[in-house]
Every structure is written in C-alpha cells, then in structure tokens.
Amino acid sequence: MVIQTQWGVLLHSRRRQEVLHSLIQPLTASQVAVRAKLSLDCAKGALRTLARVNLARCLNELARSSRVYGLTRAGVRWQSRVREFLSWPTVRYEEPPADWQLYGWVCFRHRWAVLRAMSEPSIAPLIRKRARSHDAAIRISVNNVRDVLRQFRKRNVAQVRSVGSRRVHELTDIGQTLRQLLLRAEGVAA
C-alpha cells in the first residue's frame, strides 16, 4: 500500500497497519499482539515506531511493563484513512478518562483473571471458580485470589461488603471502569 504522505513509508508496513487498526482504545502491547495476531515483539516494535512518528503515545510512561498506548489526534485520522483505503470495518477509537497507570497494573494475568471474574459481589472461592471457567489454563489458588483482592482494596478497585454473615468483594466504580475497558480490549461484551 502506498499512501502519498509524509508517513507513506511508515504505513507501508502491514504489521503497522494491523497495529493501527487494532487500537480501538488504549491497549498494552500484549493486547495489541492478540488483537492484531502478531508476536509480542512485533507489536512492541510497531507501537514504538508509531509513537516515534507521533501517531501513538504511551499513557503510563512511568511503567516498566504493561505500557499502555493510545492514539494521538493524528493517529486517529490516519487510522480512519488506512481503514477506508483497505476497506476495513470502521470502529470509533475511544479513550475514556481512566487511570492508565492502574489499567496497566491490572493487565497482569492473575489480576486480570480476578477482575474479569468479579461480575457480581462474590467470595474468593467463587471468584477463583469463575476465573478458572474463563481460563482453564490459569494456575490460581484461593490464596492468590485473596492476595489480589487485598491489592485491589488498597488501590480502590474493589471493596468489601457484608451480606448476612458473609463478607463479599465487589468492584468499585473504578474497578467497573477497568473491567469494562479490559473486556472491550479482549473483544468481549461487558
């Protein structure tokens, strides 16, 4: 594909086109790799290149891992041009207000599994059971779930509520927002 612009050479790469297309919201490199069906190294390299030419930007620059990338205004314009040129379906890029540092933090496998499983107020064993039903390969114990829930409470992602004689964990508004963002990144309806 040759687009007659200053970024024509950049967008000549099919991998970069796929990465640009996959960014429906801010995502980590591993989420981009899954959505674009690329290796993690290819996704990271393409994101770095897009950031270097100001089509994407890192939203949590202090993070050492799970860096979250979003599109710039120029990136959104180019994304729609590339989609139109290649006859790909149009998807509107959304960047809701969120704590992107926290978003990157919850993207780790156990944290994400627990967050995904918290569709309703629950106790730790039930959260573990739901997490395992979503991902049978995950190795997570009830104690792992309790550790994650403790970290969630410290970061205001989850809270404890008493229901009868039980203490159940439920997501806060921040937790609900993060869960919706992660489900959308995964392509699952919230």
Side-chain angles (χ1 to χ4, degrees), residues 97-166:
D99 181 346
W100 299 111
Q101 191 73 31
L102 188 58
Y103 177 86
W105 179 81
V106 297
C107 284
F108 288 94
R109 192 166 184 200
H110 278 184
R111 294 177 200 141
W112 166 223
V114 170
L115 188 65
R116 183 177 196 203
M118 292 182 72
S119 55
E120 59 190 47
S122 304
I123 57 175
L126 185 56
I127 292 170
R128 178 194 178 270
K129 184 177 180 179
R130 274 195 220 118
R132 293 283 317 245
S133 72
H134 291 299
D135 182 1
I138 194 166
R139 296 177 58 111
I140 188 167
S141 69
V142 175
N143 282 334
N144 295 141
V145 171
R146 287 186 184 113
D147 289 342
V148 169
L149 290 171
R150 195 174 308 114
Q151 294 171 354
F152 279 4
R153 286 193 312 270
K154 285 181 183 176
R155 289 171 174 81
N156 198 26
V157 173
Q159 61 191 4
V160 177
R161 185 170 53 114
S162 294
V163 176
S165 62
R166 284 193 166 165

Side-chain angles (χ1 to χ4, degrees), residues 10-174:
L10 167 73
L11 294 177
H12 188 69
S13 165
R14 183 71 176 181
R15 288 180 182 159
R16 291 184 204 118
Q17 292 170 8
E18 292 288 344
V19 167
L20 192 64
H21 176 64
S22 70
L23 284 166
I24 57 167
Q25 70 178 34
L27 300 172
T28 64
S30 58
Q31 291 169 331
V32 168
V34 170
R35 290 186 67 84
K37 296 178 178 69
L38 297 171
S39 72
L40 182 57
D41 288 339
C42 287
K44 283 181 179 180
L47 284 168
R48 279 192 299 267
T49 302
L50 292 174
R52 194 169 46 245
V53 295
N54 199 32
L55 294 178
R57 70 188 188 291
C58 182
L59 300 173
N60 61 342
E61 292 184 1
L62 299 177
R64 289 184 167 195
S65 58
S66 290
R67 290 178 154 241
V68 180
Y69 288 88
L71 292 177
T72 61
R73 288 180 193 236
V76 172
R77 284 192 305 272
W78 275 100
Q79 183 185 59
S80 66
R81 288 180 188 168
V82 168
R83 284 182 175 155
E84 184 180 322
F85 186 81
L86 296 174
S87 301
W88 284 345
T90 303
V91 178
R92 202 173 118 236
Y93 175 78
E94 294 180 29
E95 191 173 309
D99 181 346
W100 299 111
Q101 191 73 31
L102 188 58
Y103 177 86
W105 179 81
V106 297
C107 284
F108 288 94
R109 192 166 184 200
H110 278 184
R111 294 177 200 141
W112 166 223
V114 170
L115 188 65
R116 183 177 196 203
M118 292 182 72
S119 55
E120 59 190 47
S122 304
I123 57 175
L126 185 56
I127 292 170
R128 178 194 178 270
K129 184 177 180 179
R130 274 195 220 118
R132 293 283 317 245
S133 72
H134 291 299
D135 182 1
I138 194 166
R139 296 177 58 111
I140 188 167
S141 69
V142 175
N143 282 334
N144 295 141
V145 171
R146 287 186 184 113
D147 289 342
V148 169
L149 290 171
R150 195 174 308 114
Q151 294 171 354
F152 279 4
R153 286 193 312 270
K154 285 181 183 176
R155 289 171 174 81
N156 198 26
V157 173
Q159 61 191 4
V160 177
R161 185 170 53 114
S162 294
V163 176
S165 62
R166 284 193 166 165
R167 288 174 33 127
V168 295
H169 288 82
E170 64 183 1
L171 295 175
T172 61
D173 290 340
I174 294 169

